[in-house]
Amino acid sequence: MSGAAAPAALRELFVEMNDLKRVRSAGREGSIAERLFAQGWGLLTGGASPDDVALDIAATTLAATRLCDLDAAFLSAAGLSDAAASAVLVAGFDAVTGDLDTDLRDRLRTRLAPRPPGLPGPLPSFVAALARQPRAGVTCPGRARILLEPPENHAEHCLIVAVYGVCLSPFYRADPGTVFLAAMAHHFHNAAMPDAGFTGEVLLGDHLGPIMAVTTGWAMSELDGPLRGHVERARAVLPDDATAEGRAFHAADCVDRVLQIAQHLRGASTTMAAVLDEWELVHAGPVKGFHDRVLRDMRIP
């Protein structure tokens, strides 16, 4: 494959979106990414098409990248009209999507317009199980693992990979609905199988494939006929990069795995000078001068 293997212009968006695995709010269980994973599966079991769910969840995730939990439900509860809430969501979406493929951006943007919500179906038990299952961290055969706290869970990983995949689909000329569904289902085995990482897979040897088949089957058995068929067809792209959808998925999966670790390293290497000068932790306002004198006189930092 000649030329670029991935679009560099989406890097900063993906770095920022990755933090949705760590953003939480009072009164809501789990991270934003974890909750959007459950929302996506609820729409799928409720009968919505994978294509529609892919666009709806991707648009919502992109708006949340900058707005966090200032979402449609909160804005409505706070008294905004549907039109006003939609305008806020579109503003958040527009703030981060300037480098998306133009056609995809337009399709996603329309999903934030006021319209009747889809009715969710019952959540399969694998949704909660994946949210409770931590990912392994950094593992390598023959070496002790590197654990980074707090760990992400498999629901968070699957959701972010799914939305990355939608964003990447135009670059690879892939079907976004297929990429999305494949990503949402690619860790079905970990709903029951604890994650020991690459090291554990190597140590399982020839037992790995049969165990994964059994545990994946347990998750698949929770889906009804039509949805199960959609998931089976989407998961067919997972083994390799021979298809456009396989390339979009594997690019998204690789990027998420590395950015998850990069986030920990970025936090550990951030300096106080950068936080004060570049991020303006003590920001401009009527008491900025007083704040600066307090910090100087107390010798902080």
Side-chain angles (χ1 to χ4, degrees):
M1 184 177 178
S2 62
L10 295 183
R11 180 188 183 279
E12 294 308 313
L13 169 62
F14 285 2
V15 169
E16 185 172 358
M17 192 194 307
N18 203 270
D19 281 338
L20 294 182
K21 292 188 276 188
R22 292 167 284 276
V23 178
R24 291 169 169 76
S25 297
R28 304 193 188 196
E29 291 294 324
S31 68
I32 291 176
E34 180 181 321
R35 285 182 268 119
L36 286 171
F37 179 76
Q39 183 179 331
W41 278 108
L43 292 172
L44 288 165
T45 62
S49 74
D51 290 343
D52 284 336
V53 177
L55 296 177
D56 283 344
I57 295 297
T60 301
T61 303
L62 286 161
T65 296
R66 193 60 58 86
L67 287 167
C68 297
D69 268 326
L70 298 178
D71 58 8
F74 169 78
L75 296 171
S76 176
L80 272 64
S81 67
D82 288 346
S86 175
V88 172
L89 297 176
V90 168
F93 176 91
D94 287 348
V96 299
T97 55
D99 290 316
L100 276 186
D101 172 82
T102 302
D103 289 342
L104 176 64
R105 185 174 185 269
D106 291 344
R107 292 175 68 195
L108 292 172
R109 203 172 189 269
T110 64
R111 295 287 166 156
L112 299 173
R115 59 194 174 90
L119 295 177
L123 285 181
S125 66
F126 64 70
V127 173
L130 287 167
R132 291 193 299 267
Q133 190 76 273
R135 284 174 57 75
V138 182
T139 70
C140 179
R143 296 175 180 269
R145 74 181 59 238
I146 300 173
L147 287 175
L148 299 169
E149 296 289 342
E152 64 178 325
N153 63 52
H154 280 81
E156 293 166 334
H157 167 68
C158 289
L159 183 281
I160 294 298
V161 172
V163 179
Y164 282 0
V166 171
C167 294
L168 289 167
S169 60
F171 181 84
Y172 298 102
R173 299 182 181 179
D175 175 65
T178 299
V179 178
F180 177 87
L181 193 55
M184 291 284 278
H186 80 286
H187 273 285
F188 268 5
H189 57 287
N190 285 120
M193 181 180 179
D195 189 355
F198 181 40
T199 297
E201 293 176 357
V202 170
L203 292 173
L204 281 172
D206 292 341
H207 301 300
L208 175 64
I211 289 173
M212 288 181 63
V214 168
T215 52
T216 297
W218 292 342
M220 292 291 293
S221 69
E222 298 188 62
L223 302 176
D224 65 16
L227 180 55
R228 186 185 306 130
H230 288 312
V231 172
E232 287 173 345
R233 287 189 291 275
R235 281 178 51 90
V237 311
L238 296 177
D240 54 47
D241 63 354
T243 63
E245 289 73 25
R247 288 189 287 277
F249 164 76
H250 284 289
D253 184 51
C254 172
V255 168
D256 180 63
R257 281 187 283 139
V258 174
L259 286 183
Q260 171 66 21
I261 305 305
Q263 184 273 339
H264 287 278
L265 301 179
R266 187 171 73 249
S269 62
T270 299
T271 66
M272 184 58 71
V275 169
L276 288 172
D277 298 338
E278 298 175 36
W279 276 270
E280 298 184 76
L281 179 63
V282 181
H283 51 76
V287 293
K288 173 70 161 62
F290 176 67
H291 286 168
D292 289 341
R293 292 197 303 274
V294 167
L295 293 175
R296 182 181 64 248
D297 291 347
M298 293 196 72
R299 300 177 184 175
I300 299 173

